[in-house]
Amino acid sequence: MDETVPVLIVGGGYAGLASALFLAHHGVRSILVDRHPDVSVQGRARGINQRTMEIYRPLGVEPRIREAGRPFDGESGVVRCESLAGEWNWLLGEEARTSLPDLTACEFEMADQRTVEPILIEAARAKGADIRFGTRCLAVDAGPDGVTVEIGDRDGGRRRLIRADHVIAADGFRGRTGPSAGIVREGPGVTQSWVTFVVRADLSHIITKRAMFWIVVNPEIGGFGSFLTTAVPGQWAISFTYDPAKESPDDFTDDRCRKAARAVIGADVPLDIVDIACWEEAVGVADRFRAGRVFVVGDSAHVWPPAGAMGANAAVQDAHNLAWKLAAVTGGWASDGLLDTYEAERRPAALALADITVRRQQARFGEEPDGDDVDDVLCTFGQRYDSAAVVGAGHGPVYGGGLDQGAAPGTRAPHLWLDVPTEDADGERITVHDLFHDAFVLLTGEDGAAWTDAADKIAAHAGIPLRAYRVGSADGGRRAAELFDAEDVFEARYGLGRAGAVLVRPDGYVAWRCPSAAGDPHALLTEALHRILRPSARRS
């Protein structure tokens, strides 16, 4: 072997880069390989929802992503038109982008893949991730004791063998890493073929108000297409469908795309073609997300229409869910069985989202567009997990009838603003999700000293990353507590009284709760952690 590494990642899009960043944050070495020479200029994925921003926030990249989204400030709504120079029919208005202060400290951000991916690369490398563009994954041989991966330079030059404990397949819809391990995608498959090209043109006299998305229905482009802004001033992305039985990617020359661009714009304006790429819209979810030591994330695991900006967000959240579990297993503080809970939690969520986005696509972009019935807030914050990594989950499907802020096992921990005492009289204000990123967190009430003592002892003796905090009331002065409830909502949202406790996983999901002080805190917490971290393994 030329190299050994705990985790090898195949694919350098959102899913792969997020995986590299999260693993590095947990102190897990990884190598990422991607066959492309650099990130794409296409930047198709642009909507970053509040839950994804919550994940980025404690890693320090949230401000940079917000800054990357500045070119999209002021954009809102969805337009349907025959051309940009023609009449615009607004399907969604300005209310489409809102903040949710009762639910999260973060806001929905518009920032395209072209500018966000370099931020993830820089942050991951700063934490120690080894990211190699221009490098192909040539073969993956997974065995019971490890995975041998052959990689080679993009130009066909030097080849190397890497031995990895685990492999993350993030190489997309057409990637071969997951299928080589026997993972099969189920579902309708390819539903449409698209070409997307980026043009450079001055459209300031035509676009006087920027929407998030233009749906273009024009016979000169074969019927249906779209128009998007980009992060680069004066550059725009145009997409339309084509019939692969009649045309191939080679047919989309600069001249062909230039003619289509003028039809979409509705005016004969000077323009240049910057980039052209063909891709496929598909619907499908992998039959399993784990095959032994190989895991699929992002488009390798699930694909669906782009309506609702759920694909890239789901990819990042896949990576976030898997990373802490790989860190636990490679660090020796969890058994291999914990890795099975990645599939148990993320695959049901993918199936639900595939169903939702297909319904939304048909409602918004069909022949007779109509509003959809999708609850975006529920989709963003309401995913529920039921697996061995959760003790006491009592819910049914992934999404319930509405968002529950009750800190139930298997749900995202409810939002809180917390004051941290410091030498400065004003202290420091954080959000509770700032705490959830690299360790389990135990929260208890003002009289929960027995819980925090137990957590400290377990962390010291069992080697489990675990921190504990007592949460005091906002008007409680400086009584015994490490954090103070800034808005007096801790009891309403967590229901722990003054001495109950809740255990939150490193991904911000509630793992277990004990709403009273009954029993021995050390024994109860030890048993809960054992059940979560050492379930029986199911190797496939």
Side-chain angles (χ1 to χ4, degrees), residues 225-436:
S226 69
F227 181 88
L228 293 171
T229 59
T230 78
V232 180
Q235 290 191 15
W236 320 87
I238 298 172
S239 304
F240 59 86
T241 58
Y242 69 94
D243 184 352
K246 299 178 180 178
E247 296 178 291
S248 75
D250 291 339
D251 293 321
F252 295 101
T253 62
D254 283 8
D255 287 342
R256 168 78 186 281
C257 292
R258 194 175 289 109
K259 179 180 178 182
R262 290 196 172 105
V264 169
I265 295 168
D268 187 9
V269 297
L271 58 88
D272 296 317
I273 303 297
V274 177
D275 187 69
I276 304 170
C278 291
W279 56 282
E280 294 167 322
E281 181 180 306
V283 179
V285 177
D287 64 340
R288 48 188 171 149
F289 281 20
R290 178 188 189 188
R293 293 177 176 272
V294 177
F295 302 84
V296 289
V297 299
D299 284 359
S300 295
H302 46 70
V303 286
W304 46 66
M310 295 181 183
N313 289 290
V316 173
Q317 291 163 33
D318 288 345
H320 193 236
N321 183 290
L322 179 59
W324 78 265
K325 296 172 182 177
L326 283 169
V329 173
T330 59
W333 47 278
S335 71
D336 183 84
L338 178 65
L339 297 176
D340 286 332
T341 67
Y342 166 64
E343 176 183 313
E345 293 176 352
R346 293 304 300 168
R347 186 169 184 271
L351 290 167
L353 287 169
D355 207 37
I356 287 167
T357 52
V358 168
R359 190 168 77 242
R360 166 168 273 176
Q361 184 91 343
Q362 292 170 345
R364 283 190 180 178
F365 308 136
E367 292 295 329
E368 297 181 4
D370 192 7
D372 62 62
D373 61 352
V374 175
D375 183 339
D376 284 308
V377 173
L378 182 62
C379 286
T380 300
F381 297 111
Q383 292 179 22
R384 305 185 298 190
Y385 295 157
D386 188 358
S387 77
V390 175
V391 178
H395 52 74
V398 172
Y399 293 108
L403 186 63
D404 181 10
Q405 282 271 76
T411 67
R412 165 188 164 272
H415 165 62
L416 294 173
W417 282 110
L418 298 168
D419 287 331
V420 184
T422 65
E423 294 181 2
D424 183 348
D426 293 333
E428 176 188 3
R429 181 158 293 183
I430 64 171
T431 172
V432 72
H433 281 271
D434 292 341
L435 303 174
F436 312 139

Side-chain angles (χ1 to χ4, degrees), residues 186-222:
E186 299 174 335
V190 175
T191 55
Q192 288 182 315
S193 295
W194 288 80
V195 59
T196 297
F197 50 96
V198 178
V199 304
R200 184 184 297 109
D202 180 4
L203 303 181
S204 57
H205 60 295
I206 296 175
I207 299 178
T208 56
K209 177 176 173 54
R210 289 164 64 111
M212 290 191 293
F213 189 80
W214 283 262
I215 302 167
V216 181
V217 183
N218 188 308
E220 292 190 53
I221 58 170

Side-chain angles (χ1 to χ4, degrees), residues 5-296:
V5 70
V7 183
L8 184 128
I9 304 164
V10 183
Y14 259 147
L17 293 173
S19 297
L21 173 59
F22 299 148
L23 286 168
H25 184 70
H26 286 289
V28 178
R29 287 193 307 114
S30 69
I31 295 173
L32 181 151
V33 297
D34 188 280
R35 63 186 178 87
H36 298 96
D38 205 340
V39 298
S40 172
V41 302
Q42 291 277 326
R44 287 193 295 269
R46 304 189 308 158
I48 305 177
N49 69 29
Q50 296 93 334
R51 174 60 187 146
T52 300
M53 293 299 290
E54 240 175 31
I55 291 169
Y56 287 145
R57 180 181 162 109
L59 275 65
V61 296
E62 183 206 24
R64 293 195 59 195
I65 292 174
R66 285 203 312 267
E67 187 61 31
R70 290 288 175 258
F72 302 100
D73 284 354
E75 291 188 359
S76 63
V78 176
V79 169
R80 191 180 179 99
C81 62
E82 184 171 329
S83 72
L84 298 176
E87 183 179 354
W88 292 6
N89 177 25
W90 288 86
L91 303 182
L92 290 175
E94 296 182 0
E95 71 280 359
R97 296 180 67 184
T98 58
S99 60
L100 303 166
D102 291 337
L103 297 177
T104 181
C106 297
E107 295 191 2
F108 183 94
E109 295 291 338
M110 291 286 289
D112 68 17
Q113 210 165 339
R114 179 179 182 177
T115 52
V116 173
E117 286 183 349
I119 294 172
L120 300 183
I121 292 169
E122 183 178 343
R125 283 176 170 160
K127 292 177 180 289
D130 184 346
I131 297 174
R132 307 177 187 180
F133 283 94
T135 305
R136 293 181 179 273
C137 174
L138 302 173
V140 176
D141 182 11
D145 300 319
V147 188
T148 301
V149 183
E150 183 181 13
I151 64 171
D153 294 344
R154 175 184 170 87
D155 59 7
R158 186 180 61 162
R159 296 188 175 196
R160 298 176 66 82
L161 288 178
I162 297 177
R163 185 70 168 177
D165 294 326
H166 301 94
V167 168
I168 296 177
D171 46 351
F173 173 60
R174 290 296 183 188
R176 297 181 297 174
T177 308
S180 73
I183 297 174
V184 178
R185 187 181 292 106
E186 299 174 335
V190 175
T191 55
Q192 288 182 315
S193 295
W194 288 80
V195 59
T196 297
F197 50 96
V198 178
V199 304
R200 184 184 297 109
D202 180 4
L203 303 181
S204 57
H205 60 295
I206 296 175
I207 299 178
T208 56
K209 177 176 173 54
R210 289 164 64 111
M212 290 191 293
F213 189 80
W214 283 262
I215 302 167
V216 181
V217 183
N218 188 308
E220 292 190 53
I221 58 170
F224 178 85
S226 69
F227 181 88
L228 293 171
T229 59
T230 78
V232 180
Q235 290 191 15
W236 320 87
I238 298 172
S239 304
F240 59 86
T241 58
Y242 69 94
D243 184 352
K246 299 178 180 178
E247 296 178 291
S248 75
D250 291 339
D251 293 321
F252 295 101
T253 62
D254 283 8
D255 287 342
R256 168 78 186 281
C257 292
R258 194 175 289 109
K259 179 180 178 182
R262 290 196 172 105
V264 169
I265 295 168
D268 187 9
V269 297
L271 58 88
D272 296 317
I273 303 297
V274 177
D275 187 69
I276 304 170
C278 291
W279 56 282
E280 294 167 322
E281 181 180 306
V283 179
V285 177
D287 64 340
R288 48 188 171 149
F289 281 20
R290 178 188 189 188
R293 293 177 176 272
V294 177
F295 302 84
V296 289

Side-chain angles (χ1 to χ4, degrees), residues 25-26 324 333 435-442 464-467 504-508:
H25 184 70
H26 286 289
W324 78 265
W333 47 278
L435 303 174
F436 312 139
H437 57 95
D438 62 350
F440 279 83
V441 172
L442 186 84
I464 298 172
L466 172 63
R467 297 190 297 268
V504 183
R505 308 186 323 187
D507 61 356

